[in-house]
Amino acid sequence: MATNIMDRRRINGPARSVEPLYGPGAAGADPFAGGRADGRGLDQVRAIYMKTGPLSGGQHEPSESAASGSAYYEQGRVRVSCAVYGPRQGRRSNARMGVFDCEFRYAPFACSWKRRSHVRGADEKEISLMLEHAVAPAIRLEAYPKACIDAFVTVIESDGKAATIAAAINCISAALADAGIEMYDSVAACSMGLRGAQWVADCCQAEEDAAPCSMLIAHMPSADEVTYILQHGKATPEQTDQAVQTCTNMCTRVYAVICRCLQASLE
């Protein structure tokens, strides 16, 4: 006598199935086909909007919890805010130089392709160290012995990892200036992606995913000093040299925009 044995390990598919739709967002699609989606040239960055002091306590609203300086930075669909606290008492009472600490976080809704956890991940801790190394050389830490300067960066919306890190560096520089921290120069950052034999400035997420190599540079234009450089992917020495030259020129343009915004905030 045969018994009816059901395989419960199988998952029955739906009774009706449809074919997948393949559109511009499908895997393997070239985001540069027909030019850039937003109509920019290969050497153009997205429009920048910056405002200082949104989280700082004004003269009419003093508060102990208010930040010493703050800034909001927007570049296309990348939106970043930063609050700076300090200089305040550091953890080492005998330190001859001040300490700059940075905490980088994504908002849970910052990435459209992934919901972030409220607990800091390993990538956020790694980016925090990147920001510290990129911005610390511009601060006169010897002028703040035994003190600590803390920067808290929150990414409200992200559109490209390298572009988001560059925006965070620009936002921190503006917040430090708003806090009145003594600096040698402001740090401006820009990212680029490789497309064939050409470098593309300020790539969005789709363009970064399609690029075999990306580069991020933080630069102090007045001092003509590169404070941080990060390359992801493979490129020839000639391509790398071209990227450094092009990216530093783009940083100079971004630096001019930051300076104009800071001057406008004083008026």
Side-chain angles (χ1 to χ4, degrees):
M1 179 177 175
T3 58
N4 185 14
I5 301 176
M6 181 182 294
D7 188 356
R8 299 183 181 276
R9 292 174 296 180
R10 293 181 180 272
I11 300 176
N12 295 328
R16 180 175 175 270
S17 61
V18 295
E19 295 183 0
L21 299 178
Y22 298 97
D30 184 8
F32 299 103
R36 306 184 77 172
D38 51 8
R40 287 184 292 139
L42 298 182
D43 61 343
Q44 288 182 330
V45 300
R46 287 169 280 190
I48 297 174
Y49 169 78
M50 192 184 74
K51 182 179 180 181
T52 57
L55 304 176
S56 307
Q59 296 179 357
H60 303 288
E61 298 179 359
S63 174
E64 294 182 358
S65 60
S68 304
S70 60
Y72 171 78
Y73 187 90
E74 186 175 310
Q75 188 167 335
R77 292 178 55 191
V78 179
R79 296 174 174 87
V80 182
S81 67
C82 175
V84 172
Y85 295 85
R88 52 189 180 183
Q89 182 64 40
R91 290 174 289 274
R92 297 176 56 186
S93 59
N94 60 343
R96 296 185 178 180
M97 296 182 62
V99 178
F100 174 70
D101 290 330
C102 180
E103 183 177 300
F104 177 91
R105 284 181 180 271
Y106 285 102
F109 49 83
C111 305
S112 59
W113 63 92
K114 176 184 178 182
R115 181 168 180 83
R116 308 289 306 196
S117 172
H118 66 280
V119 180
R120 276 211 309 167
D123 58 338
E124 293 172 314
K125 296 179 181 178
E126 181 181 1
I127 295 174
S128 298
L129 293 176
M130 293 181 187
L131 299 179
E132 291 176 7
H133 294 160
V135 179
I139 305 174
R140 292 194 61 219
L141 294 175
E142 68 277 4
Y144 303 101
K146 306 179 183 180
C148 181
I149 301 171
D150 299 314
F152 297 89
V153 180
T154 302
V155 177
I156 302 171
E157 186 174 1
S158 174
D159 189 18
K161 184 175 181 180
T164 301
I165 298 175
I169 295 174
N170 298 331
C171 191
I172 294 173
S173 297
L176 289 171
D178 184 60
I181 303 298
E182 295 187 26
M183 303 174 66
Y184 297 106
D185 193 10
S186 293
V187 182
C190 185
S191 63
M192 305 194 77
L194 184 63
R195 178 206 177 193
Q198 293 180 311
W199 287 95
V200 182
D202 190 21
C203 294
C204 63
Q205 186 63 52
E207 293 171 342
E208 281 191 8
D209 293 339
C213 179
S214 63
M215 178 170 290
L216 165 72
I217 284 183
H219 183 236
M220 292 192 296
S222 296
D224 193 17
E225 180 180 345
V226 174
T227 61
Y228 194 81
I229 181 170
L230 175 66
Q231 178 177 336
H232 179 75
K234 294 182 179 180
T236 63
E238 293 76 14
Q239 290 174 333
T240 301
D241 183 66
Q242 179 187 2
V244 171
Q245 297 295 331
T246 306
C247 209
T248 51
N249 293 335
M250 300 303 300
C251 289
T252 304
R253 299 184 190 178
V254 176
Y255 176 82
V257 175
I258 295 175
C259 290
R260 285 199 298 268
C261 293
L262 290 175
Q263 291 173 357
S265 65
L266 299 175
E267 298 177 357

